[in-house]
Amino acid sequence: MAGRGTVKAHGGFNAKNDAEVLYKAMKGLGTDEDAILQLLTARSNAQRQEIKAAYKTLHGNDLVDDLKSELGGKFESLIVALMTPPIMYDVTSLRDSIKGAGTDEKVLIEILASRLPNEVNQIKSLYKQEHNDDLEEDVTGDTGGNFRRMLVVLLQASRQQGIQEDLIQSDAQALLAAGEQKYGTDEGQFITILGNRSNAHLRRVFDEYRKISGYEIEESIQRETSGTLQEVLLAVVKCARGVPGYFAESLYNAMKGSGTDDQKLIRIMVSRSEVDMMDIRAEFRKRFSCSVFSDYRKALLLLCGGDDA
């Protein structure tokens, strides 16, 4: 997936020069938000960290603190997100979702369903380092039932590799027997299979499931489960079918209806901008026949890397 992002490292990069541009943009009356935005969206996250170090060397201040004192609202949230290293950004998002007022299950689901196993392991160790708490304990202390069981499975980050040909049919049969063919639902089977098999393997299982049951696996999950367990299982299925498709749908849902879910938009745009935003844009256009950002603010348009209209 490397190279499928819209934000790339800047060719003629000079951290000190960039630090000076940002300093001037904040100095004096008023703040030149456009200059800040144009510069930061045209640098990779690694380059932003170098600018941060150069800024401290030149001015004796923390760049993020200075940005926070000059900016406000959604724009501040976006700029602070851009300045945060990717794994740290996930750690902060998870911490806020657990420790805030009430638990934001949607953030737990989005991050744990979509990140690669090595990313989940990095998130766990950085979470411990930053907060001196165990992420799994914090998640289990804040969630319950089968939803908690599925999150714990995802936190183990131990999905099997490759396709196990000998298990495709039995996995599909087990899911059918645990749901559509059973009075009540054996959620444990869904959790074990969807939480442990590789994405490539699951795609084959979903095909087999459709052949033997006449249903898409998503239809059965919607019929057989509910609430947050249903949400996390569907997220895992969508990510198995294709992570860019999952995020294209998430972006669409964040923008449709009255009012936009700005936090979700910022989180997805920032976290995927160097990973697979090109693919997300293509999926969005294919599914919804319009450009991702035909109607959203220029900051996100810059991150997205253009308009497909």
Side-chain angles (χ1 to χ4, degrees):
M1 202 52 95
R4 299 297 301 157
T6 46
V7 172
K8 312 273 189 208
H10 181 63
F13 178 63
N14 182 313
K16 280 187 177 170
N17 288 356
D18 285 353
E20 284 307 290
V21 170
L22 293 173
Y23 182 73
K24 287 188 183 117
M26 289 186 279
K27 207 174 68 169
L29 282 171
T31 302
D32 188 346
E33 292 189 351
D34 271 355
I36 294 170
L37 185 63
Q38 291 283 353
L39 190 143
L40 292 180
T41 51
R43 305 292 182 270
S44 67
N45 194 286
Q47 288 177 333
R48 291 177 209 134
Q49 304 317 314
E50 288 184 54
I51 297 167
K52 189 179 169 184
Y55 189 92
K56 188 169 268 187
T57 303
L58 292 167
H59 301 290
N61 281 354
D62 182 86
L63 174 56
V64 176
D65 288 347
D66 279 3
L67 287 164
K68 280 179 173 173
S69 71
E70 293 292 326
L71 308 171
K74 297 167 195 171
F75 190 70
E76 180 189 329
S77 301
L78 173 65
I79 296 298
V80 170
L82 286 171
M83 288 304 304
T84 310
I87 298 294
M88 184 59 156
Y89 186 50
D90 283 348
V91 166
T92 306
S93 300
L94 288 168
R95 181 75 174 182
D96 291 347
S97 74
I98 295 165
K99 296 297 179 188
T103 307
D104 191 341
E105 289 93 353
K106 287 180 169 39
V107 175
L108 294 178
I109 292 167
E110 178 193 299
I111 293 175
L112 296 179
S114 66
R115 301 304 188 256
L116 297 167
N118 66 313
E119 291 169 336
V120 174
N121 284 325
Q122 287 173 38
I123 288 166
K124 286 193 294 189
S125 59
L126 187 58
Y127 189 95
K128 182 87 177 164
Q129 194 182 311
E130 286 296 311
H131 303 293
N132 204 25
D133 283 329
D134 182 81
L135 177 58
E136 190 180 314
E137 282 175 20
D138 282 355
V139 166
T140 54
D142 239 35
T143 56
N146 288 313
F147 176 56
R148 175 169 66 194
R149 288 172 66 195
M150 185 62 180
L151 293 181
V152 169
V153 169
L154 295 176
L155 278 164
Q156 303 319 299
S158 54
R159 276 194 188 281
Q160 293 143 356
Q161 299 294 300
I163 297 170
Q164 293 153 287
E165 295 287 346
D166 53 329
L167 288 181
I168 290 168
Q169 212 156 4
S170 59
D171 280 351
Q173 292 283 3
L175 289 170
L176 186 58
E180 298 284 358
Q181 289 179 346
K182 189 180 172 66
Y183 180 73
T185 307
D186 177 1
E187 293 90 352
Q189 277 287 14
F190 282 86
I191 289 167
T192 301
I193 293 170
L194 295 178
N196 285 288
R197 305 291 191 259
S198 74
N199 286 346
H201 179 89
L202 287 174
R203 289 194 292 273
R204 294 280 299 278
V205 172
F206 301 157
D207 288 345
E208 183 63 26
Y209 184 86
R210 189 178 59 243
K211 278 183 209 155
I212 61 172
S213 71
Y215 302 119
E216 294 291 357
I217 189 71
E218 290 92 333
E219 295 175 77
S220 295
I221 290 170
Q222 279 165 335
R223 261 198 298 274
E224 299 294 327
T225 63
S226 61
T228 48
L229 175 67
Q230 182 184 100
E231 284 179 44
V232 71
L233 292 177
L234 287 174
V236 166
V237 169
K238 286 168 190 172
C239 286
R241 291 198 189 274
V243 171
Y246 168 70
F247 280 118
E249 194 176 305
S250 296
L251 285 173
Y252 181 76
N253 291 333
M255 288 188 289
K256 74 174 188 189
S258 59
T260 52
D261 183 343
D262 293 293
Q263 283 312 115
K264 182 188 254 195
L265 282 174
I266 290 170
R267 198 172 56 245
I268 295 173
M269 295 298 304
V270 171
S271 64
R272 308 315 290 184
S273 62
E274 289 182 54
V275 183
D276 52 6
M277 186 49 73
M278 302 280 283
D279 301 310
I280 293 170
R281 271 172 58 182
E283 279 293 327
F284 194 98
R285 187 140 189 89
K286 196 163 79 187
R287 292 173 187 217
F288 307 112
S289 306
C290 61
S291 167
V292 184
F293 292 106
S294 47
D295 62 353
Y296 203 66
R297 38 179 311 179
K298 61 186 174 181
L300 298 175
L301 193 57
L302 285 166
L303 262 188
C304 178
D307 193 340
D308 296 312

